Amino acid sequence: MTTGTPPPTARRRSRARTFVPLAVAAWAVLEIWLLILVADAAGGLTVVILLAAGIVLGAAVIKSAGRRAFRNLTETLQRMPGQPGADGSSPADPESGRGNGFLMLGGLLIMIPGLISDVAGLLLLVPPVRTALSRYAERSLDRRMRAAAPGGFSDAFQQARIHRPDGKVVQGEVIRDEPSGPNDEPRPPLTR
């Protein structure tokens, strides 16, 4: 019995799904090898002290970055129009909230046992490095969003899809002719 639908084709495995596990395994082997070299040169107790210090320092960095992010969020929400005592002005320093994610990532990398991850985490604690990475990530995300095909993730909030009972999908766009205000009466629910 044929239904007219083509047989499912196997999706090709992406490069990331192939190379990321290999890169993580190579990184782990390199980290272990470097720890063994340091243990041979400086002693096992030195390596244990380095690993413990990394965990403590990483936890402190993550904690301070989390507090800073929460403080920035609270200040932003208090400045929003409509809040008691809010003047609606923008924050005094727009750069103060930048880089919290990279600070937390740096703390996490410091907490992970290993010398390479510690060096990468310490680099993320340097403000010019964090700023450069933040700008690069922002430009990259902006470029990807502009290059996204219509109907993709970038149009998710601009399009509506109506599913009909027969299974067909009708694509449309929601357009309001008149602005809705807080004084409008609530509309009754739609029924079939």
Side-chain angles (χ1 to χ4, degrees), residues 140-163:
S140 176
L141 182 63
D142 187 42
R143 190 172 40 247
R144 286 178 185 247
M145 291 299 284
R146 289 181 195 277
F153 183 70
S154 64
D155 285 344
F157 297 109
Q158 297 173 358
Q159 292 183 352
R161 293 179 183 239
I162 302 169
H163 294 274

Side-chain angles (χ1 to χ4, degrees), residues 14-136:
S14 70
R15 282 190 223 169
R17 288 185 65 191
T18 302
F19 291 117
V20 168
L22 292 174
V24 169
W27 169 68
V29 168
L30 186 62
E31 289 278 20
I32 292 169
W33 179 69
L34 283 174
L35 285 175
I36 291 171
L37 284 178
V38 171
D40 283 343
L45 185 61
T46 305
V47 170
V48 170
I49 291 172
L50 280 174
L51 294 177
I55 290 172
V56 171
L57 178 64
V61 168
I62 289 175
K63 185 177 179 180
S64 69
R67 283 184 178 169
R68 190 171 108 182
F70 186 73
R71 185 179 61 242
N72 289 338
L73 175 66
T74 304
E75 289 173 1
T76 302
L77 290 176
Q78 288 175 349
R79 284 190 185 98
M80 288 181 62
Q83 295 295 325
D87 57 357
S89 64
S90 62
D93 184 15
E95 298 291 319
S96 67
R98 290 189 139 202
N100 284 330
F102 284 118
L103 262 177
M104 289 184 187
L105 178 62
L108 180 67
L109 286 172
I110 291 171
M111 285 180 73
I112 294 174
L115 300 176
I116 297 172
S117 61
D118 288 349
V119 169
L122 289 172
L123 278 176
L124 284 176
L125 296 184
V126 178
V129 173
R130 216 173 36 242
T131 304
L133 282 174
S134 179
R135 287 182 183 151
Y136 173 76

